[in-house]
Amino acid sequence: LFPQGQLLAKSWSSLFGGQSGAALQGPIYSFNGRNVLADPLWPHRLAWHGSTPRGGHARRWDCQGWRSSGTAEGMATALGEGWLLAGHRHNCSTP
């Protein structure tokens, strides 16, 4: 059984609001029920969002139009950092 009803953030606005977004709470599961924060299938544990720290569209860093042979970069956050929009640029080819 997969845990349900676990609090990720207190509200939608608290998840993305403020300077860097809300602190993430609890585990995050993939669609097939794996805990992304603990499963070795996700070695980088990134949340790709293409946003600025304030939640706007980071147009140059959103991986839109990315191709596997490209060197484009996009904004992503390491989930272990605890802040959803405290992103850094990562190569769009990073799994």
Side-chain angles (χ1 to χ4, degrees), residues 18-94:
Q19 183 62 28
S20 295
L24 298 176
Q25 302 173 17
I28 298 173
Y29 294 97
S30 66
F31 288 109
N32 62 356
R34 294 176 181 258
N35 182 342
V36 174
L37 297 176
D39 196 294
L41 186 61
W42 286 270
H44 300 288
R45 296 174 177 85
L46 297 173
W48 293 90
H49 52 74
S51 297
T52 66
R54 292 177 140 297
H57 181 202
R59 287 181 177 84
R60 292 183 57 201
W61 315 112
D62 64 2
C63 293
Q64 186 168 339
W66 167 82
R67 300 293 181 264
S68 61
S69 61
T71 58
E73 291 183 316
M75 295 301 288
T77 299
L79 293 171
E81 288 183 22
W83 298 96
L84 186 58
L85 296 182
H88 304 282
R89 293 185 310 213
H90 294 271
N91 185 291
C92 295
S93 297
T94 303

